[in-house]
Amino acid sequence: MLAPIISGFLSVVTWRWTFWAGLIIAGVSLVLLFFMPETYSPTILKQRAQKMRRETGNPNIYAPIELEKKGARQMLTVTLTRPIRMVLFEAIVLFTCLYLSIAYAIFYLYFEAYPLIFEGIYRFNSGTAGLPFLGIGLGAFLATGIFIYWDTVLMRAKTANAHWAQIEEYHRLPLACLGGPLYVIALFWLGWTANAKIHWIVPILSGIPFGIAFLLVFMALLNYIADAYKIFAASGLAATSACRSIFGAVLPIAARPMYQKLGIAWASSLLGFLSLGMCVIPFAFIKYGDRIRANSKFCQELREKEAADERERKRDESVASLPDEEMHAQHFP
């Protein structure tokens, strides 16, 4: 939310400094990537296996990912096509992509809508016209607190063995169920209060529920995909990232013509009605998500992998508990 403010004030000096500022921030952020820890569990297991091979000198210690077939053919036919297959054949990924793409596009539409409202109606200059985005930033900050609070509630419920806490769909989706209606309210609020007769603070305040809703919907649905697909989550998240990036790049092109033709109120209302249809999706996932996952080929494959890993773990534990003589006899009959 700082970007419109920074670019708004810098562009008054020269448009080049807008890009220089972006380059500086990107350069600093790039350095931080080298300090981020690995979170992909198959890769973590691979690193542990490599460490154990070095420490024990046993070349027969492998992680499951090291035993998989790899190569250009496997990458082209499996890895690169998996996100596409998940969008086409996985209902959870398909509708999540649709919802997040619409939400993302509306967020980027705001970069066109806010100047039309606050420069066109309220006569802000190009620098101060970026300040209304602080309302969205405040909403995003509040959403972080809500997410942390919900996470605490969920952990307590799991500790107490509450029935609802054992259901996958109740882990994240209630946040999206809260965020969806707030998104709709924020769009109608902005559209019907952006009027020269109404003080400029009123449409700015609509950014607070918008920021809350945007972050809650994103965090909830992305985490739901990660929880539902586990080792396939990277492909599911890649699919959502590609879809929302396309929508976020294409739809804002129509923002200015839409707002000029329909007017601020009805253009925002159109987006509000569209979001109203989308906010049904997390409620549908809560009701039907378990059945969707039960019929999912990816989730079925995931369950088979987990069952195989569990059998392997139990076998290793049973072998480790045997006396050395029996263990030797099992490995070298």
Side-chain angles (χ1 to χ4, degrees):
M1 292 297 98
L2 295 178
I5 301 171
I6 295 172
S7 63
F9 284 106
L10 288 178
S11 62
V12 177
V13 181
T14 171
W15 62 268
R16 288 182 174 85
W17 262 108
T18 302
F19 292 92
W20 280 117
L23 179 62
I24 293 168
I25 294 170
V28 173
S29 303
L30 181 63
V31 175
L32 299 177
L33 289 177
F34 295 100
F35 298 96
M36 293 182 68
E38 178 61 65
T39 58
Y40 187 47
S41 56
T43 301
I44 294 173
L45 286 175
K46 177 182 175 181
Q47 293 172 349
R48 289 178 181 173
Q50 291 172 340
K51 182 180 178 182
M52 291 177 67
R53 286 200 296 268
R54 290 194 302 269
E55 293 176 348
T56 63
N58 184 353
N60 297 317
I61 301 175
Y62 291 101
I65 194 173
E66 294 179 284
L67 302 177
E68 295 178 0
K69 294 181 180 179
K70 294 182 180 179
R73 182 183 178 87
Q74 192 268 350
M75 179 175 290
L76 290 172
T77 58
V78 179
T79 306
L80 294 182
T81 62
R82 187 183 292 149
I84 299 172
R85 286 185 283 120
M86 293 185 81
V87 171
L88 294 177
F89 303 113
E90 293 293 315
I92 290 175
V93 176
L94 171 63
F95 286 103
T96 297
C97 285
L98 181 61
Y99 194 1
L100 295 186
S101 296
I102 295 296
Y104 203 67
I106 291 174
F107 176 73
Y108 275 91
L109 280 166
Y110 265 47
F111 289 104
E112 292 287 338
Y114 266 36
L116 288 172
I117 293 170
F118 294 103
E119 290 183 35
I121 297 176
Y122 294 105
R123 303 302 176 187
F124 286 20
N125 60 44
S126 59
T128 56
L131 294 175
F133 284 96
L134 289 175
I136 300 177
L138 176 59
F141 178 78
L142 294 175
T144 304
I146 295 172
F147 188 85
I148 294 172
Y149 172 74
W150 175 254
D151 218 35
T152 304
V153 171
L154 179 62
M155 292 305 297
R156 288 176 180 171
K158 285 183 176 180
T159 303
N161 290 320
H163 174 68
W164 68 267
Q166 312 305 319
I167 303 173
E168 193 77 58
E169 282 66 32
Y170 283 98
H171 292 179
R172 307 297 180 186
L173 292 177
L175 294 174
C177 294
L178 171 63
L182 281 177
Y183 210 73
V184 177
I185 291 170
L187 288 164
F188 281 105
W189 182 344
L190 175 69
W192 293 97
T193 60
N195 190 301
K197 297 178 181 179
I198 300 174
H199 194 275
W200 50 261
I201 194 63
V202 180
I204 288 178
L205 290 176
S206 71
I208 297 176
F210 183 87
I212 294 173
F214 183 77
L215 210 61
L216 287 184
V217 168
F218 259 74
M219 289 193 297
L221 290 178
L222 292 179
N223 278 304
Y224 178 53
I225 284 184
D227 292 343
Y229 291 99
K230 294 182 174 64
I231 61 173
F232 299 125
S235 297
L237 296 177
T240 64
S241 180
C243 290
R244 71 174 186 260
S245 295
I246 293 170
F247 273 65
V250 174
L251 290 188
I253 297 173
R256 190 169 290 271
M258 180 181 71
Y259 273 91
Q260 289 174 343
K261 188 170 183 64
L262 298 179
I264 301 298
W266 282 108
S268 297
S269 297
L270 176 62
L271 299 176
F273 286 121
L274 185 60
S275 299
L276 181 62
M278 292 294 102
C279 75
V280 175
I281 290 174
F283 290 95
F285 282 166
I286 287 179
K287 185 173 179 62
Y288 302 109
D290 56 341
R291 278 175 270 180
I292 294 173
R293 288 187 290 110
N295 295 320
S296 162
K297 290 184 178 179
F298 283 94
C299 290
Q300 290 171 2
E301 184 180 347
L302 178 63
R303 285 192 293 271
E304 290 173 2
K305 282 180 175 288
E306 290 177 340
D309 290 343
E310 181 65 18
R311 288 193 298 269
E312 183 70 17
R313 185 186 64 81
K314 289 182 178 179
R315 188 189 68 81
D316 291 343
E317 287 180 352
S318 64
V319 170
S321 63
L322 294 173
D324 292 343
E325 294 80 2
E326 294 184 27
M327 188 183 304
H328 183 82
Q330 285 197 11
H331 285 279
F332 307 100

